[in-house]
Amino acid sequence: MTPPPARRRRNGANGNVPAQNLPRRGTVRRAQAITTYGVGSLIAVDQESFVVSGLDGADENWNSDESPRIHERRLARLLDVDYFRLPPASDDGSRDGLRVRRFPLMHSCPECTELQRHRDFNPPPGRSVCGTCELELVPSRFVVACEAGHLGEFPYRQWVHRSPDRGVVATGQCGGKLRLRSSGRTSSLRSIIVSCTCGQAPEVSMEGSFRRNALKDLGLTCRGTRPWLGTSAPAEDCGLPLRTLQRGSSSVWQPVLKSALSIPPWSDGRGDPLAEHWEALRQYDRREHVEIYLKGVFKGEECPVPLDEVMALLDAEREEDPDGEAAPTFDHRYRALRNKEYERLRAGNDESEHTREEQFVCETPLGAQGVLDPLGVTGPMLVKKLREVRALKAFTRLVDAESTTDSTEMPLSERPLRWLPAMEVRGEGVFLRLDEDRLDAWEKAPAVAARIERMRTAHQRALEQRADDPSHIVLSPATPRMVLLHTLAHVLINEWSLEAGYPAASLRERLYAADDMAGVLVYTATSDSAGSLGGLVAQGEPEILARTVRSAVRRAEWCSSDPLCMETEASGAGGTNLAACHTCVMLPETSCEHNNILLDRALLVGTPDDPDLGFFANLQDH
């Protein structure tokens, strides 16, 4: 992790004092509080290390002015909350910030080489130095975690006192002091030496501590510790195997993010005053019952939302219920959410028909769309105004977020809350679809099916290896149209980055791939002003879009890593890609919905041996 810059502790001269006068240790952007330094993650500041605290005290600690509520009913319903909150700012003018706790507690001194808990060094208040040597203490490089999301200190004492055959722990309460030093011979784990002054065990290196069964061989299993919730959080009896991780490893914390676009009739914000009442209102079918409920809630005062609009919003919400599902799962409800977005993007929403509060404006371009027909592209829409809400649902450790089930997701608080932290992005985009008839014929080609099956098998194998419960294995989403749309979105983002001046990291894809969907939305993905002045929308005009698609496809025909890239049998993590690498179609992680997997540019342009394999193979002749 890249540590945030240090900052001065504020005084009360200008009145900007937090509710509790806690020391300030650094700054993070609000977006980072969702994607990088969310609840339960480790954050390095200068020479110190902390874990971001849970949300149990956030209702009292987060200032309502700096952490306003965010409303997005469709996403709130999916995640079973009433509303969302923007994380507090941590700039110089803020009165509050994210709460953190010191972790790991085990530190070492580079001078006296003692290895013990931070407080046992007797550091001066507000400093992290050895009370004897007055040198900066070094947080433990190693932590342990389990697939249920728990996090703990590395068991140095048990590691030192293990028996020669590493079968059992000889003693854990010897009374000696631990020491840690580096031999300096190499940069490997073999050079990190741990010893104990008791003399009952020889000094040992950290080599082998990252083996999958290294801690299991010592008889150690997870105790369910949750340091981000504080000492008041009781340890659970977990019992899962523990894995050793480096403190800065990406496996220590991975966010589970869910997002939704604000679309009519919710996108004008008129229904926000009833955010905490929609679940109750859904219980009533008759207009008079809804009216009685609203009168009771507002105690005779006029409801801020007219009754006709309330009924229209309830009808719209019921339309988004998954069809034919008596007890719809989370995946069914998320798919229904995407289906409704796809319908709205196809239908459009003209700006002239709505008020200035409307947050979704999607219009048909004025140019003749016939120029796109030879490309197999249809239905372009200019999304002149959009709003996306991204919420942090939970987090995982060791397990990739895409392969998670509820059992491997760690909640953000000890007690259930009726809200989640989220951020909102306002920008613009271009939506396009692929011709269904041409797509159906292309999908049935045996060569296409064979390539997709190789990718799907590799991805499914990876998901099964990561799953903790064989009965709840997530199925791979790899299909011919999904991989085609995914790769097309990547080459379009790369093309617009080169031709229209957009940083690739400022654009993001949103895929709509299913039996009844074949569309992709490319939109500005940052919360700042990069590309939000109409430049991206202008790229959606049919003539410009046709030139962009042709140029992007031609550029995808060749990679500087060819022929290795095009002819590879498998690439990417676990072999989940084929003809795709960082020099051709891969994007910054913030731009991709699927972590740069399930990509294959051969499905766009074909291969030297089979040029007809590509969906856009006919463009190579022009």
Side-chain angles (χ1 to χ4, degrees):
M1 290 187 301
T2 302
R7 62 180 295 163
R8 296 177 290 103
R9 182 175 177 176
R10 297 166 303 159
N11 55 43
N14 59 358
N16 289 336
V17 180
Q20 302 178 34
N21 194 18
L22 302 175
R24 309 284 293 207
R25 295 301 191 196
T27 62
V28 296
R29 299 192 305 272
R30 278 172 161 162
Q32 289 180 309
I34 301 295
T35 59
T36 309
Y37 300 126
V39 171
S41 66
L42 297 183
I43 179 170
V45 183
D46 294 333
Q47 300 298 320
E48 301 181 78
S49 175
F50 303 92
V51 61
V52 180
S53 300
L55 299 179
D56 290 292
D59 281 328
E60 296 79 22
N61 297 332
W62 287 14
N63 184 281
S64 58
D65 294 333
E66 296 183 8
S67 303
R69 292 187 179 188
I70 299 175
H71 297 287
E72 173 45 55
R73 173 57 190 163
R74 300 170 62 249
L75 186 60
R77 180 189 173 200
L78 175 73
L79 300 178
D80 192 26
V81 295
D82 294 332
Y83 56 92
F84 305 96
R85 291 191 69 178
L86 197 66
S90 56
D91 52 30
D92 289 334
S94 65
R95 293 178 291 173
D96 208 341
L98 294 176
R99 298 306 204 264
V100 296
R101 293 181 169 90
R102 190 179 299 279
F103 186 85
L105 297 180
M106 294 296 289
H107 284 61
S108 61
C109 174
E111 180 69 22
C112 62
T113 71
E114 288 191 3
L115 174 65
Q116 58 190 356
R117 295 171 72 88
H118 183 271
R119 66 180 181 220
D120 295 334
F121 282 99
N122 296 318
R127 300 184 63 192
S128 181
V129 298
C130 177
T132 302
C133 307
E134 295 188 353
L135 291 181
E136 294 280 349
L137 296 175
V138 180
S140 168
R141 283 177 53 187
F142 310 104
V143 296
V144 295
C146 78
E147 291 189 353
H150 300 115
L151 184 69
E153 305 274 353
F154 182 83
Y156 288 102
R157 190 169 293 277
Q158 289 90 335
W159 183 254
V160 170
H161 292 90
R162 67 186 189 273
S163 59
D165 60 1
R166 299 186 179 183
V168 296
V169 177
T171 177
Q173 302 295 332
C174 64
K177 287 189 174 183
L178 295 176
R179 296 186 180 277
L180 183 145
R181 63 180 179 85
S182 175
S183 66
R185 296 176 181 174
T186 68
S187 58
S188 66
L189 293 175
R190 183 180 297 180
S191 295
I192 301 176
I193 308 299
V194 184
S195 60
C196 182
T197 58
C198 68
Q200 299 180 23
E203 62 179 20
V204 298
S205 75
M206 291 296 294
E207 186 177 28
S209 59
F210 282 76
R211 290 187 303 110
R212 180 173 290 273
N213 294 323
L215 301 181
K216 182 180 179 181
D217 293 343
L218 299 181
L220 300 177
T221 57
C222 180
R223 298 175 54 197
T225 52
R226 298 174 293 173
W228 63 95
L229 297 181
T231 56
S232 61
E236 303 172 350
D237 185 15
C238 178
L240 288 178
L242 285 169
R243 291 284 304 277
T244 303
L245 298 171
Q246 292 219 50
R247 178 163 44 90
S249 169
S250 61
S251 297
V252 171
W253 188 85
Q254 296 188 55
V256 179
L257 298 172
K258 298 299 175 183
S259 68
L261 299 181
S262 295
I263 60 174
W266 303 96
S267 51
D268 59 5
R270 291 177 60 85
D272 293 350
L274 298 180
E276 299 179 22
H277 303 287
W278 288 116
E279 288 301 323
L281 288 169
R282 275 179 59 88
Q283 308 303 316
Y284 304 106
D285 294 328
R286 301 180 62 179
R287 180 186 179 93
E288 53 268 28
H289 293 166
V290 172
E291 185 176 13
I292 292 172
Y293 175 85
L294 293 175
K295 287 182 178 179
V297 167
F298 293 98
K299 304 184 186 310
E301 297 181 6
E302 184 178 358
C303 176
V305 184
L307 183 58
D308 289 340
E309 291 189 21
V310 173
M311 299 305 299
L313 290 171
L314 288 173
D315 291 340
E317 185 168 289
R318 294 188 179 101
E319 287 179 5
E320 205 163 312
D321 291 337
D323 295 330
E325 300 290 342
T329 64
F330 182 88
D331 290 337
H332 289 139
R333 290 183 284 125
Y334 194 49
R335 194 177 307 125
L337 180 145
R338 286 294 185 103
N339 288 343
K340 187 59 66 174
E341 290 180 3
Y342 183 72
E343 292 176 11
R344 177 52 67 176
L345 286 166
R346 290 188 61 175
N349 190 43
D350 196 293
E351 183 176 19
S352 62
E353 300 175 0
H354 301 279
T355 64
R356 295 179 60 183
E357 286 72 26
E358 178 60 51
Q359 300 173 96
F360 180 83
V361 176
C362 180
E363 299 178 354
T364 304
L366 299 177
Q369 300 186 19
V371 295
L372 295 170
D373 292 341
L375 309 178
V377 175
T378 186
M381 300 295 286
L382 309 181
V383 187
K384 295 184 176 181
K385 198 174 181 181
L386 67 79
R387 172 180 178 261
E388 181 196 20
V389 176
R390 301 176 196 161
L392 178 62
K393 175 177 181 280
F395 64 87
T396 66
R397 305 193 196 279
L398 300 175
V399 181
D400 287 348
E402 67 170 10
S403 62
T404 62
T405 59
D406 289 341
S407 61
T408 58
E409 293 180 357
M410 180 60 69
L412 307 181
S413 59
E414 187 176 5
R415 299 183 303 276
L417 296 177
R418 296 305 302 166
W419 60 275
L420 289 171
M423 62 173 292
E424 57 182 353
V425 174
R426 300 175 188 270
E428 61 190 20
V430 174
F431 174 75
L432 58 87
R433 295 180 288 122
L434 297 182
D435 181 81
E436 287 284 356
D437 294 336
R438 182 169 166 179
L439 185 59
D440 289 341
W442 174 82
E443 287 179 311
K444 295 175 183 177
V448 172
R451 289 185 74 90
I452 293 299
E453 183 60 25
R454 285 160 56 189
M455 300 172 67
R456 191 202 64 79
T457 301
H459 189 216
Q460 192 63 49
R461 186 188 308 117
L463 293 175
E464 291 173 357
Q465 292 173 350
R466 300 166 189 160
D468 62 326
D469 186 353
S471 63
H472 294 87
I473 296 177
V474 179
L475 297 179
S476 171
T479 62
R481 68 175 58 197
M482 181 269 170
V483 178
L484 175 64
L485 286 167
H486 192 197
T487 312
L488 176 61
H490 278 228
V491 299
L492 286 176
I493 290 175
N494 279 330
E495 189 67 21
W496 280 325
S497 176
L498 293 170
E499 298 295 335
Y502 286 92
S506 71
L507 301 177
R508 184 174 172 85
E509 67 182 6
R510 193 168 181 86
L511 306 179
Y512 299 91
D515 293 339
D516 55 347
M517 295 192 297
V520 58
L521 171 67
V522 176
Y523 61 104
T524 52
T526 60
S527 54
D528 59 19
S529 60
S532 61
L533 299 176
L536 182 58
V537 167
Q539 304 300 314
E541 289 294 339
E543 291 187 2
I544 300 177
L545 182 59
R547 290 199 302 268
T548 300
V549 172
R550 291 179 185 276
S551 177
V553 170
R554 290 195 185 98
R555 203 181 299 276
E557 294 175 11
W558 178 252
C559 169
S560 60
S561 296
D562 279 341
L564 179 64
C565 177
M566 180 60 77
E567 296 178 359
T568 184
E569 293 295 322
S571 68
T576 51
N577 289 335
L578 287 180
C581 68
H582 284 286
T583 57
C584 53
V585 299
M586 287 189 176
L587 293 176
E589 292 182 359
T590 55
S591 300
C592 180
E593 278 196 310
H594 294 282
N595 297 318
N596 276 324
I597 65 172
L598 304 179
L599 294 165
D600 183 13
R601 62 188 173 92
L603 297 183
L604 296 177
V605 300
T607 65
D609 295 333
D610 186 4
D612 294 332
L613 174 70
F615 182 84
F616 298 100
N618 64 317
L619 298 187
Q620 298 174 356
D621 300 329
H622 295 78

